[in-house]
Amino acid sequence: MSSPVTVHVWSDIACPWCFVGKRRFERAVADFDGEVAVEYHSFELAPDTPVDFDGSEVDFLARHKGMPEAQVAQMLGQMTELAAAEGLAFDFTSVRHTKTLLAHQALHHAKSQGKQLELVERLFSAYFEQGRHVGRAEELAALAAEVGIDEAGLLEALADGRHAPAVEADIAAARQLGIQGVPFYVIDDRYGISGAQSPDVFRSALERAVQDRAAVGEGEPADAGAAGGR
């Protein structure tokens, strides 16, 4: 294979399935005989969320989805167990629900520094496992510093909004591709995979991309159709 298989991932830091999907995709890559280049793209699941939401995750989801609180609590318990099977320690009682637009800008800044994947991992863990507030610039800068990104540089980038157009472009691209939920993976600009699929599904898509390169060459447009659900 002459070049890595490209994988473009649309996700949101506040999306538990995106963190689970990340772990499952990483397992697929570990079993894949080839190189993979991953880039994350911005998606806002709840763009009307305030930066400082006054309430718990149960409160937010009950209001956002119009579900009874008991049902939401049960759903979060099931999600916690599912995440644990992937080695993740979700703690929904400490989650600080917030608007993620600034976090997406931080991820674009990290990309410019060659540290996007490291910050994606750090922000997911901070949000779902540690109760950190990823909607505030100072908290984002502190977390970024932990993965080797200059804290002052990120604060400056967030203050002047230099990465806001890139975030908007990602969200517009998602609309163009027909993406309505995340995570969503575009494999080698050919195949669209929706949801936190099993490692086998991801690995098969990677292998098929390599086979198709040999059979039909490079440059086919992405297929935005979903390959199954979660």
Side-chain angles (χ1 to χ4, degrees), residues 14-86:
C15 165
W17 284 106
C18 293
F19 201 5
V20 169
K22 184 176 186 293
R23 281 293 182 271
R24 292 176 178 176
F25 181 77
E26 287 167 347
R27 286 164 55 195
V29 171
D31 291 336
F32 172 64
D33 185 19
E35 295 184 45
V36 179
V38 180
E39 179 178 342
Y40 275 77
H41 297 275
S42 310
F43 191 96
E44 275 196 293
L45 283 171
D48 57 343
T49 305
V51 171
D52 294 301
F53 176 75
D54 184 18
S56 68
E57 186 73 354
V58 171
D59 294 332
F60 177 83
L61 290 174
R63 298 179 200 176
H64 186 69
K65 295 182 177 292
M67 298 167 57
E69 291 187 4
Q71 185 179 352
V72 171
Q74 181 182 24
M75 180 181 69
L76 293 181
Q78 293 170 344
M79 188 78 235
T80 300
E81 291 180 5
L82 187 149
E86 304 296 335

Side-chain angles (χ1 to χ4, degrees), residues 168-187:
E168 293 171 3
D170 278 352
I171 294 171
R175 285 195 297 266
Q176 186 175 16
L177 286 170
I179 299 172
Q180 298 180 342
V182 287
F184 193 94
Y185 303 76
V186 176
I187 311 292

